[in-house]
Amino acid sequence: MKIGVNVPNFGPGTNPDVLRRWAQTVEGLGFDLLMVSDHIAVTADVAEQYPAPFYEPFTTLAWLAGITDRVRLGTTILVAPYRHPLLTARMAANLHQLSGGRLVLGVGVGWARQEFAALGVPFQHRGRLTDEHLAAIRDAWANDTDYRAGQIPIWIGGNSDAGLTRAVRLDAAWHPLRFTLPWLRAALHRLKAAADEQRRPVPALAPRIALRLTTTPVTGPARLAGEGTIEQIVDDLDQLRLLGSETVVLDPFNGDPHETHRPQAAWHALATVAAHWNLNDHHR
């Protein structure tokens, strides 16, 4: 099982130097994947959770590709309806080629109504638009030699039944975000049922979990996977491996934009996970 990291490409403490240090930390500790988020117009609903500056993901990943050597680069998640599908296909294919085949394209339908309005995209049609865009992107990769995409993994983000059904229908990995383990176990039954109903294979599992390291155990039914002592976090990773996860993405951002002023706390948590999971030779 491979382990990735969701890097905050936003917030008052984020700048090019900090992003460079994030990339060096993630790759230097032996993690497999570095992922960033997607917003284009930082409208009020976006800024409340992810304040400016917000570094555009393709631009940021292209730059990080040039200052890293091994780590894969991805989006968690790219909001598919925000860009023309041929633009997304072109940027993804070029980034994949320029990085030596390191791109993972995580996509989703989005949630920020004001941002959709600012971009002139109908919020109520975002699910249908996502399906249409993904079909157009794959068609461009498959049939237009100018795109030369190679094999770019696609992950479908979202915790709803619509999201997991979309992953089944598109034969793409399912990428649920920040959950409890009991919720995931129940969701995997729904994923299997959706696959059986469509007579399609069960998609690969590539979840994104919290990373909140504590000195004392976190208890109770609301505990997210990835919250607690290092022993709890390692056990969560083991449980996710046993549930079939091919990749797990750790998300050290816990909701306070001021965290971006203090990335050292997240780096310490990542170093602790790396030491206990033994990333360099423990890809189980």
Side-chain angles (χ1 to χ4, degrees):
M1 188 175 77
K2 298 184 183 301
I3 310 291
V5 179
N6 183 34
V7 168
N9 53 319
F10 55 83
T14 299
N15 57 48
D17 180 60
V18 171
L19 287 168
R20 179 190 295 108
R21 292 165 65 195
W22 266 105
Q24 292 169 340
T25 298
V26 169
E27 185 166 70
L29 288 171
F31 288 97
D32 299 283
L33 175 63
L34 181 160
M35 305 193 91
V36 296
S37 304
D38 180 32
H39 286 287
I40 296 175
V42 185
T43 48
D45 49 353
V46 174
E48 185 176 351
Q49 298 184 48
Y50 310 108
F54 204 110
Y55 289 83
E56 194 279 329
F58 280 118
T59 311
T60 303
L61 293 175
W63 178 61
L64 293 178
I67 57 177
T68 56
D69 298 312
R70 176 195 58 80
V71 71
R72 291 187 298 159
L73 306 159
T75 53
T76 177
I77 54 173
L78 191 85
V79 184
Y82 282 176
R83 298 165 182 81
H84 192 286
L86 294 182
L87 176 62
T88 300
R90 172 77 67 182
M91 290 192 293
N94 288 170
L95 177 53
H96 195 59
Q97 184 181 27
L98 291 167
S99 67
R102 289 191 277 155
L103 180 63
V104 175
L105 189 66
V107 300
V109 301
W111 58 269
R113 286 180 178 268
Q114 294 174 32
E115 188 173 26
F116 272 85
L119 295 169
V121 180
F123 181 82
Q124 67 272 25
H125 298 316
R126 65 196 188 281
R128 175 177 59 79
L129 288 171
T130 295
D131 291 339
E132 292 174 356
H133 283 213
L134 285 169
I137 288 166
R138 281 182 159 170
D139 185 65
W141 289 346
N143 298 313
D144 189 335
T145 57
D146 189 40
Y147 282 82
R148 290 186 292 272
Q151 295 295 316
I152 300 177
I154 292 180
W155 295 0
I156 302 298
N159 293 14
S160 67
D161 284 353
L164 64 84
T165 301
R166 180 172 290 109
V168 171
R169 186 170 64 251
L170 297 176
D171 192 26
W174 183 43
H175 183 49
L177 313 174
R178 299 179 72 98
F179 46 77
T180 67
L181 280 173
W183 177 90
L184 181 66
R185 290 190 177 96
L188 289 177
H189 288 296
R190 298 197 299 276
L191 185 69
K192 174 68 162 57
D196 290 345
E197 182 178 350
Q198 297 186 41
R199 297 182 180 179
R200 301 185 68 89
V202 177
L205 179 61
R208 187 179 96 198
I209 66 172
L211 176 60
R212 188 171 74 86
L213 181 63
T214 63
T215 56
T216 57
V218 176
T219 58
R223 184 184 79 86
L224 295 176
E227 286 187 319
T229 63
I230 187 58
E231 290 78 16
Q232 287 181 296
I233 293 169
V234 168
D235 183 65
D236 288 342
L237 291 173
D238 267 324
Q239 293 301 315
L240 290 167
R241 177 179 59 85
L242 292 171
L243 289 170
S245 299
E246 295 186 357
T247 303
V248 174
V249 179
L250 303 175
D251 185 358
F253 178 70
N254 289 294
D256 180 0
H258 292 289
E259 293 175 35
T260 60
H261 285 296
R262 305 180 298 275
Q264 293 81 5
W267 297 342
H268 168 73
L270 290 170
T272 304
V273 171
H276 284 77
W277 189 255
N278 199 7
L279 287 167
N280 290 319
D281 59 9
H282 192 193
H283 295 160
R284 306 182 185 196

